[in-house]
Amino acid sequence: MKSSDETLEELGWKAYFSEQVSDEEAEHCHPVRVMAVHRGKIAIAGAGAGAGAGAGAGAQGFITPYIPGAGPSDDHPTVGDWLLIDVDTLQPTRVLRRMNLFKRRAPGDRRKEQMIAANVDTLFIVASCNQDFSIARLERYLVLAREVGVKPVVVLTKTDLTDTPEVFAAAARGIEPGLLVETVNGRDPASVARLAEWCGKGETVALLGSSGVGKSTLVNTLRGSDSIATQAIREGDATGRHTTTVREMHRLDRGGWLLDTPGMRELQLFDAAAGIAEVFDDFALVAQDCRFSDCAHGGEPGCAIRAAIAGGTLTSERFDRWRKLAAEDSVNVAQLTTRRPR
Ligand SMILES: Nc1nc2c(ncn2[C@@H]2O[C@H](COP(=O)(O)OP(=O)(O)OP(=O)(O)O)[C@@H](O)[C@H]2O)c(=O)[nH]1
Ligand SMILES: [Mg+2]
Ligand SMILES: [Zn+2]
């Protein structure tokens, strides 16, 4: 692995991964990173990625995502993953343990989870300063980031289309003390330049958000290119047209990676109780003072949450969003665990 170490670092290789590979394994396997997930095949990059001799370090190639002995879901590779490739057969042997993994309930199938991305350093939660802006949706993405343990940055786009970008920014900052919120015109290189701070050499930034908020536009502008297709949003409701269909890592000149994703229609959380408790820690804290430890805050005697809402220290809007996420999470967890195939 020596000669290609520098390339590996550019791809995001860290001690966390090399520690998982024994010397013996390193003799017959090369690490490669999953750059994109297409239907039925994945794109990989790294010293072992090219097809056979002559492929230089950092070469890209395609393989079918079959891993021998892989289980039903978590062992399959997703974008951002590190795989070991057998140098003789050029087949993947295993997925390395992940630093982190973003997942959600699969849209349209309550029983399944869907992996979104792995081994991410920073999450850009992208939303636009228009009528599609929603605090509830931002909270959802924030819960996901907290659950996964990845640093979130809220990126509010389309500042050029509003007179009051600071109103949107203030609303987003109000979600959580200290939350990083950036406002940009995604089509203006000077405006997005400061976002490059999070994508230094070898760093991976994933962009998540609804369709049409300008994720691909940000990637294009940060790269100084227009290689990714973008498309105007619908005028009626300011929602996007689901232009991006592939989860794919794009390289920046200065060495970082931007992981563009298709806009999500819905982000159904599951297994995110810790993330919910963190984003709504004001509620979690007050709830400890309820008389009953299993208080549902629905009018029970001695409910500290109801008292705080009545007293004006907590809002009923935020209470409703908190209960909704918590209820959804437990329903989704129950459905996944009871029906998961053995
Ligand atoms: N005026 C303005 N338009 C923007 C900005 N950011 C993006 N757009 C436009 O918004 C539309 C949608 O942008 P995309 O980059 O395709 O959005 P996306 O988030 O990648 O959408 P999906 O791929 O469908 O998930 C395009 O017409 C962009 O040119 C911005 O900051 N200002
Ligand atoms: Mg896109
Ligand atoms: Zn209570």
Side-chain angles (χ1 to χ4, degrees), residues 287 290-292 295-298 300 302-306:
C290 292
R291 183 177 307 163
F292 304 112
C295 184
H297 325 300
E300 292 94 328
C303 177
I305 293 279
R306 289 285 163 193

Side-chain angles (χ1 to χ4, degrees), residues 36 44 145 191 231 255 257 306 328:
I44 53 174
S191 174
Q231 204 177 171
W257 296 90
R306 289 285 163 193
E328 171 187 309

